[in-house]
Amino acid sequence: EDKVVQSPLSLVVHEGDTVTLNCSYEVTNFRSLLWYKQEKKAPTFLFMLTSSGIEKKSGRLSSILDKKELSSILNITATQTGDSAIYLCAARYNNNDMRFGAGTRLTVKP
Amino acid sequence: GAVVSQHPSWVICKSGTSVKIECRSLDFQATTMFWYRQFPKQSLMLMATSNEGSKATYEQGVEKDKFLINHASLTLSTLTVTSAHPEDSSFYICSARGTNQGDTQYFGPGTRLTVL
């Protein structure tokens, strides 16, 4: 069965800490992995990763895909309270199928 | 804990037919459930919020007669796409929040709808 698993489910850190969120996938004909940040109305798109080993970066956020390990990590450095959110990953596979993980709830305390 | 399932994972239907998608919280009571739809460029849009036992609150621009949402129990919400058309083809995701989870939503894996 195709699935995407995120860990941890929740995480509490203090401002300035660095966090690493994990996403592993088991899908057939994998195409890409997506990361989203859920704060308010709907998750906002962060990254799409298709190639292994190439880091994508946006400010303090970065992500990398490891196709050998069937996993991806999302790193956030120097966390701020505004980073508090649910972070979702999703695997795109086959022609146009997608599978979402349950999300990681990140809380950044001042 | 806090697992949300969706059924079916994917569905193909003919234009004009109705399709029902289920969202279940498997190990907690979901007082609130949310339905999202994916649009081009990976963006997700909130369609509606439903609280158990009451009518769903739809976001602006979402046709409530077309996308029927029912949240009849604390573990189940359904989205029915009525008289589906090819432009309704999309990826639909639900999330659930319960009284023991604070503000945390847990997302279902999603349902791919293809309307021929």
Side-chain angles (χ1 to χ4, degrees):
Chain A
E1 186 190 334
D2 300 309
K3 62 181 178 182
V4 175
V5 178
Q6 290 186 246
S7 64
L9 274 184
S10 68
L11 189 56
V12 180
V13 300
H14 287 96
E15 268 191 320
D17 290 348
T18 293
V19 297
T20 299
L21 310 182
N22 301 287
C23 175
S24 65
Y25 59 90
E26 282 181 40
V27 298
T28 47
N29 302 319
F30 172 83
R31 290 167 60 95
S32 59
L33 192 120
L34 294 85
W35 282 98
Y36 292 84
K37 179 182 181 182
Q38 161 71 357
E39 284 180 284
K40 294 166 184 169
K41 285 234 162 171
T44 52
F45 172 69
L46 295 175
F47 298 112
M48 183 168 79
L49 306 157
T50 51
S51 302
S52 215
I54 298 173
E55 186 183 56
K56 289 220 172 174
K57 216 167 155 58
S58 176
R60 294 175 295 102
L61 274 66
S62 63
S63 185
I64 197 160
L65 177 67
D66 186 338
K67 284 185 178 179
K68 225 181 201 179
E69 297 295 324
L70 307 182
S71 66
S72 173
I73 58 170
L74 175 69
N75 277 323
I76 309 174
T77 58
T79 51
Q80 302 170 356
T81 54
D83 295 327
S84 295
I86 296 169
Y87 291 84
L88 283 173
C89 75
R92 194 182 287 279
Y93 60 106
N94 288 333
N95 264 337
N96 211 8
D97 291 324
M98 273 184 83
R99 205 87 179 147
F100 273 72
T104 292
R105 170 74 168 196
L106 173 65
T107 303
V108 181
K109 293 190 169 180
Chain B
V3 177
V4 175
S5 71
Q6 280 184 242
H7 178 80
S9 300
W10 57 269
V11 57
I12 301 172
C13 69
K14 289 184 180 177
S15 195
T17 60
S18 294
V19 174
K20 184 186 281 190
I21 302 169
E22 292 185 350
C23 176
R24 291 183 187 272
S25 57
L26 298 186
D27 50 4
F28 67 100
Q29 293 187 324
T31 48
T32 307
M33 284 186 168
F34 305 85
W35 285 95
Y36 301 86
R37 176 178 174 174
Q38 187 183 43
F39 279 93
K41 295 191 179 177
Q42 333 299 346
S43 67
L44 294 171
M45 180 196 80
L46 177 66
M47 298 174 68
T49 302
S50 74
N51 293 299
E52 185 264 337
S54 60
K55 285 185 181 178
T57 302
Y58 289 80
E59 295 297 307
Q60 197 169 8
V62 178
E63 298 174 62
K64 56 185 171 188
D65 293 332
K66 181 166 184 63
F67 298 99
L68 300 178
I69 290 170
N70 186 289
H71 191 167
S73 80
L74 282 171
T75 59
L76 174 64
S77 175
T78 59
L79 166 68
T80 302
V81 183
T82 62
S83 187
H85 289 285
E87 57 264 31
D88 299 324
S89 297
S90 188
F91 190 76
Y92 293 86
I93 312 150
C94 73
S95 68
R97 185 175 68 201
T99 50
N100 292 334
Q101 283 74 37
D103 288 334
T104 300
Q105 293 176 42
Y106 294 96
F107 283 76
T111 296
R112 164 70 62 194
L113 169 64
T114 303
V115 185
L116 302 176

